[in-house]
């Protein structure tokens, strides 16, 4: 494996970008700077979950990558099959671990959207209470 990255350096960078986005959302929600309309937040969360389901479907087919056949019993064929398997399963940079981590981060992002909706509801409730106190 060239550079030990399994050929997925770009995918790992993309995962880091999604992770950064999720952290930013959580930070903004935690600081009270992001509150989303509950309908908008739920649509965003569901869209993210659709992506997770698509990735899960893809992972169910990864056994085809890890059980590559047809390259023969010669050492060269076996080495090539092993390289494909390594690219799929390498713990630090293989396709399967990267997709699993992306799914985890996306689920955290869906949770962050829902947390932003809770803040919106809390703010809305607080405003309603304040207005009611002012009327009385």
């Amino acid at each position: 494996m060239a550079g030990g990255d399994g050929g997925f350096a770009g995918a790992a960078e993309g995962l880091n970008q999604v992770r950064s986005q999720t952290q930013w959302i959580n930070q903004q929600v935690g600081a009270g700077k992001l509150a989303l309309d509950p309908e908008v937040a739920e649509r965003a969360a569901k869209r993210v979950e659709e992506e997770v389901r698509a990735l899960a479907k893809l992972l169910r087919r990864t056994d085809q990558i890890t059980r590559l056949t047809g390259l023969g019993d010669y050492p060269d064929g076996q080495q090539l099959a092993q390289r494909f398997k390594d690219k799929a399963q390498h713990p630090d940079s293989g396709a399967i671990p990267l997709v699993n981590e992306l799914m985890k981060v996306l689920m955290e992002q869906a949770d962050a959207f829902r947390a932003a909706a809770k803040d919106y509801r809390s703010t809305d409730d607080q405003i309603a209470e304040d207005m009611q106190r002012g009327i009385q």
Side-chain angles (χ1 to χ4, degrees):
M1 270 184 279
D5 71 4
F8 298 105
E13 180 56 35
L15 172 60
N16 286 333
Q17 290 175 359
V18 173
R19 184 179 285 122
S20 292
Q21 288 174 333
T22 302
Q23 289 171 346
W24 181 86
I25 293 167
N26 279 319
Q27 288 169 346
Q28 297 303 303
V29 170
K33 295 180 179 180
L34 179 64
L36 295 176
D37 176 280
E39 284 185 36
V40 172
E42 189 58 30
R43 281 197 309 266
K46 285 183 178 182
R47 179 64 184 108
V48 170
E49 289 169 342
E50 287 173 15
E51 291 298 320
V52 171
R53 283 190 294 278
L55 290 169
K57 184 178 178 182
L58 177 70
L59 278 181
R60 286 191 291 271
R61 296 188 311 218
T62 58
D63 64 328
Q64 296 171 3
I65 297 171
T66 59
R67 288 189 271 139
L68 185 63
T69 58
L71 297 176
D73 293 330
Y74 296 102
D76 289 346
Q78 291 175 351
Q79 287 174 353
L80 183 58
Q82 185 62 44
R83 287 184 67 193
F84 277 106
K85 184 176 179 179
D86 290 345
K87 284 181 180 277
Q89 295 179 325
H90 189 275
D92 297 325
S93 60
I96 294 170
L98 284 171
V99 171
N100 279 322
E101 184 64 17
L102 177 59
M103 289 170 53
K104 177 184 162 210
V105 170
L106 287 173
M107 288 306 297
E108 291 169 4
Q109 194 171 87
D111 292 342
F113 284 130
R114 289 189 174 107
K118 285 180 186 176
D119 277 4
Y120 181 92
R121 284 187 204 106
S122 296
T123 302
D124 205 32
D125 291 346
Q126 184 63 47
I127 291 169
E129 285 177 24
D130 291 347
M131 287 179 66
Q132 210 166 35
R133 274 191 230 118
I135 293 172
Q136 294 175 353

